[in-house]
Amino acid sequence: MREPVIPHSRPSLGAAEAEAAGAVLRSGQVAQGPEVAAFEAEVAARMGLRGGVAVASGTAALHLALMALKVGPGDAVLFPSYTCAAVLHAVRLAGAEALPADVDPATGNLDPDAARRARTPRCRALILVHAFGWPADVEAFRALGLPIIEDCAQALGATAGGRPVGSRGEAAVCSFYATKIIATGEGGMLLSDRPEVLAVARDLRAYDEAPDARLRFNYKMTDLQAAVGRIQLGRLPELLGRRASIADTYRKALADAPVTLPAEVPGRIYYRFVVRVPGGAEAALEAFARRGITCRRPVHTPLHRLVGREGFPGAEEAWRTSLSLPCAPALTEGEVARVAEAARAILGRREP
């Protein structure tokens, strides 16, 4: 009998999340309410920030962060090309010009020199993504003189210099999509130490009973999602520990393989376990699929391609060579062992 397919990601949800959701359903208060307020306070405290604004998605959080920083038509926003398309869409929602810049293929993070070259006089903000749980060096970008939005969608719980990732920029955003570090199904949050940023985001996430006709959105999170998120946040150390344990298993399995393993950087987390395959990842992806194991390119399409730009060698190299192994906390020990065995065979070049 063929073994079940191992998915690349799956959420780690259990009885506590089900009970929290059930309590909200029994209460009758399922839209934005006290659970959302509590979730905002708890995430902000975890990240060492003044406050948070829970919204419907990470994309919505990015959009509101740009608007709160007064980015709009006629402006431009700088961001790494090698990242999720949500960044591009948020910039376009704000009406700004998208300015992708190249990345360091060894980390997947924005390259400071490339960012400096890509910056134009119309730049009004920088979205700095902490790729796959690897903290980007925020201070390396301060010389650009731009407000920084830290995209922590893949890095909740990571630290840099002893401080939580997300605590150094003018704003931070998180995503709580089903496959993120903590999951509420859909959802996101904007966080900041700046009261004016938080106030604008709170004002714009809902349009009911507004005092004027300013464009606003239906970007609210529900209490149902927030209740699940609060349980997930309480489990964050457990979830991150499980990811680290899986990463350690893969690291040992691939110690002698002719691939580049993710660096063991202080403070990083393992949202993805990304290996770089000399010669390209395509054949390995197909080989894992034949074994019923779903691996992925960690970025579907570099964003410079989507806007018709060329000349991004770091992003192209990262896309060509990078492969993400399943690293979700919900994987069973048997599934992790199966992935490790396949990785030894495929990436260790013991099978075609």
Side-chain angles (χ1 to χ4, degrees):
M1 179 183 292
R2 185 180 177 87
E3 292 183 282
V5 171
I6 297 175
H8 181 250
S9 299
R10 70 161 73 101
S12 179
L13 301 168
E17 286 87 354
E19 174 54 34
V24 170
L25 291 174
R26 291 190 294 271
S27 77
Q29 172 60 53
V30 295
Q32 179 180 291
E35 290 289 335
V36 168
F39 188 37
E40 291 171 337
E42 290 163 4
V43 176
R46 177 66 180 75
M47 295 179 67
L49 293 169
R50 180 187 295 266
V53 182
V55 291
S57 68
T59 309
L62 281 169
H63 181 201
L64 293 185
L66 290 168
M67 295 190 72
L69 293 173
K70 301 181 180 179
V71 173
D75 298 329
V77 178
L78 197 58
F79 55 83
S81 177
Y82 188 65
T83 194
C84 172
V87 173
L88 172 61
H89 292 305
V91 171
R92 286 178 163 172
L93 282 167
E97 179 188 357
L99 286 180
D102 208 0
V103 302
D104 178 352
T107 67
N109 282 326
L110 186 62
D111 180 275
D113 291 334
R116 200 158 34 248
R117 291 191 298 270
R119 189 191 192 285
T120 70
R122 293 193 295 111
C123 265
R124 293 293 178 269
L126 164 65
I127 298 174
L128 189 59
V129 180
H130 300 284
F132 321 132
W134 184 315
D137 184 358
V138 176
E139 298 310 313
F141 296 91
R142 285 295 179 195
L144 294 172
L146 297 171
I148 294 174
I149 301 168
E150 292 188 65
D151 186 331
C152 305
Q154 303 176 359
L156 180 62
T159 60
R163 291 175 56 180
V165 161
S167 63
R168 285 181 164 85
E170 279 64 40
V173 299
C174 294
S175 172
F176 308 125
Y177 178 65
T179 60
K180 289 300 194 294
I181 301 296
I182 65 173
T184 63
E186 293 282 0
M189 193 175 294
L190 176 152
L191 301 109
S192 182
D193 260 345
R194 297 175 60 173
E196 67 275 16
V197 170
L198 297 170
V200 170
R202 289 193 181 105
D203 177 45
L204 298 184
R205 72 174 165 184
Y207 52 73
D208 285 344
E209 302 179 0
D212 55 49
R214 181 181 184 183
L215 179 63
R216 293 175 173 83
F217 309 92
N218 186 8
Y219 276 173
K220 301 184 297 297
M221 179 181 279
T222 69
D223 264 19
L224 194 61
Q225 294 166 301
V228 172
R230 294 181 69 192
I231 299 298
Q232 287 271 288
L233 185 65
R235 293 180 57 203
L236 183 60
E238 166 207 338
L239 298 173
L240 295 181
R242 176 61 177 156
R243 288 180 179 275
S245 175
I246 294 170
D248 186 58
T249 297
Y250 296 162
R251 192 177 296 281
K252 290 174 180 174
L254 294 171
D256 298 323
V259 297
T260 302
L261 299 177
E264 297 184 87
V265 179
R268 73 159 302 162
I269 63 168
Y270 287 93
Y271 174 64
R272 296 278 185 252
F273 189 89
V274 178
V275 300
R276 294 181 60 211
V277 185
E282 188 63 35
L285 287 165
E286 293 172 358
F288 278 107
R290 288 194 295 270
R291 285 173 168 251
I293 297 169
T294 309
C295 296
R296 300 279 190 205
R297 296 188 187 276
V299 170
H300 184 272
T301 305
L303 302 186
H304 67 271
R305 296 185 189 174
L306 298 183
V307 297
R309 300 275 301 278
E310 296 180 349
F312 292 74
E316 290 290 347
E317 176 70 8
W319 184 86
R320 187 179 67 85
T321 62
S322 295
L323 177 149
S324 176
L325 296 172
C327 194
L331 291 172
T332 67
E333 290 296 340
E335 288 172 326
V336 173
R338 190 173 141 203
V339 174
E341 179 186 5
R344 272 194 302 271
I346 296 166
L347 300 177
R349 306 286 175 84
R350 296 171 189 170
E351 70 175 47

